[in-house]
């Protein structure tokens, strides 16, 4: 039986992270964005220096989803000052949950989300929040199903294109 493993990524996993990051972002957004904007985003977001610095940041966590020794998805979480937008100190941001297209609908994202909940509990977060592109209906539906509610919007820049992200959060404790 194939067992899905969720493991914390380290600096030694940088190539795996770059590969799965570029693959899943492309699968999700390439057909609705210009090639130029996609290339620029992928080069900047998954540059070795940037990922190295993010992996070394103690306020960020990366987890890899692995099946049969193949990386099929990943999760990036941020706390404190690593959050992409200023939120309360006791908040946990899910910056990314990405799963390879061939594994959509196979509960991989749900397992990565379960890992986020464990970290939220560990750090005693009062809520989890995230930004999700308004036109990524699959993701919006996933988060809604998991109890997230929209509380704001913000602009996400992909190259020269400004896109609207829904800001969503789930209260864990008051």
């Amino acid at each position: 039986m194939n067992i899905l493993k969720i493991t914390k990524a380290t600096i030694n996993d940088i190539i795996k992270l770059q590969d799965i990051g570029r693959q899943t972002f492309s699968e999700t957004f390439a057909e609705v964005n210009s090639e130029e904007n996609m290339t620029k985003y992928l080069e900047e977001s998954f540059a070795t220096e940037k990922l190295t610095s993010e992996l070394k940041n103690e306020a960020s966590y990366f987890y890899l989803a692995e099946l049969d020794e193949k990386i099929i998805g990943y999760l990036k979480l941020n706390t404190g000052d690593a959050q992409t937008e200023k939120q309360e100190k006791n908040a946990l941001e899910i910056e990314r949950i990405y799963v390879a297209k061939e594994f959509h609908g196979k509960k991989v994202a749900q397992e990565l989300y379960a890992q986020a909940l464990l970290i939220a509990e560990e750090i005693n977060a009062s809520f989890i929040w995230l930004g999700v592109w308004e036109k990524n209906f699959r993701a919006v539906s996933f988060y809604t199903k998991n109890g997230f509610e929209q509380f704001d919007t913000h602009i996400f820049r992909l190259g020269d294109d400004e896109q609207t992200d829904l800001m969503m959060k789930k209260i864990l404790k008051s």
Side-chain angles (χ1 to χ4, degrees):
M1 176 137 167
N2 305 346
I3 305 286
L4 179 69
K5 288 194 310 200
I6 307 288
T7 54
K8 193 169 198 292
T10 68
I11 209 80
N12 300 329
D13 296 316
I14 204 154
I15 302 294
K16 292 176 183 172
L17 209 47
Q18 285 173 317
D19 289 348
I20 192 65
R22 289 182 177 128
Q23 176 195 336
T24 54
F25 195 86
S26 296
E27 287 175 348
T28 307
F29 301 113
E31 57 192 47
V32 290
N33 288 287
S34 75
E35 192 176 328
E36 188 181 50
N37 284 343
M38 285 295 294
T39 301
K40 185 177 191 299
Y41 180 84
L42 292 172
E43 281 173 5
E44 288 170 5
S45 298
F46 298 102
T48 302
E49 307 72 45
K50 185 175 190 325
L51 279 180
T52 300
S53 137
E54 290 177 350
L55 280 161
K56 286 182 174 175
N57 185 339
E58 290 180 8
S60 290
Y61 309 77
F62 283 92
Y63 289 89
L64 296 170
E66 191 177 329
L67 191 65
D68 299 330
E69 296 182 26
K70 180 181 191 244
I71 303 300
I72 61 167
Y74 76 108
L75 165 70
K76 182 179 184 214
L77 304 171
N78 298 310
T79 61
D81 292 337
Q83 295 175 89
T84 57
E85 283 197 12
K86 208 73 193 130
Q87 297 288 337
E88 295 161 33
K89 282 275 185 234
N90 60 345
L92 177 69
E93 175 191 17
I94 297 177
E95 186 178 343
R96 299 184 189 135
I97 290 184
Y98 281 105
V99 175
K101 206 169 205 155
E102 64 182 292
F103 294 97
H104 283 182
K106 297 191 175 15
K107 304 279 184 244
V108 179
Q110 202 61 51
E111 288 296 321
L112 288 166
Y113 173 64
Q115 180 64 48
L117 287 175
L118 286 175
I119 297 300
E121 200 175 305
E122 239 172 67
I123 66 165
N124 209 17
S126 58
F127 67 95
I128 300 180
W129 72 279
L130 53 93
V132 58
W133 187 35
E134 64 182 351
K135 293 182 182 157
N136 187 349
F137 304 117
R138 179 182 191 90
V140 172
S141 166
F142 173 81
Y143 292 120
T144 303
K145 189 180 76 193
N146 278 291
F148 284 77
E149 292 179 5
Q150 183 183 341
F151 68 95
D152 203 353
T153 60
H154 72 173
I155 297 300
F156 175 81
R157 279 189 135 336
L158 187 78
D160 60 11
D161 189 23
E162 287 192 350
Q163 302 176 351
T164 302
D165 272 4
L166 306 178
M167 306 280 289
M168 299 181 82
K169 77 167 148 187
K170 177 178 182 171
I171 306 292
L172 301 173
K173 52 173 132 343
S174 45

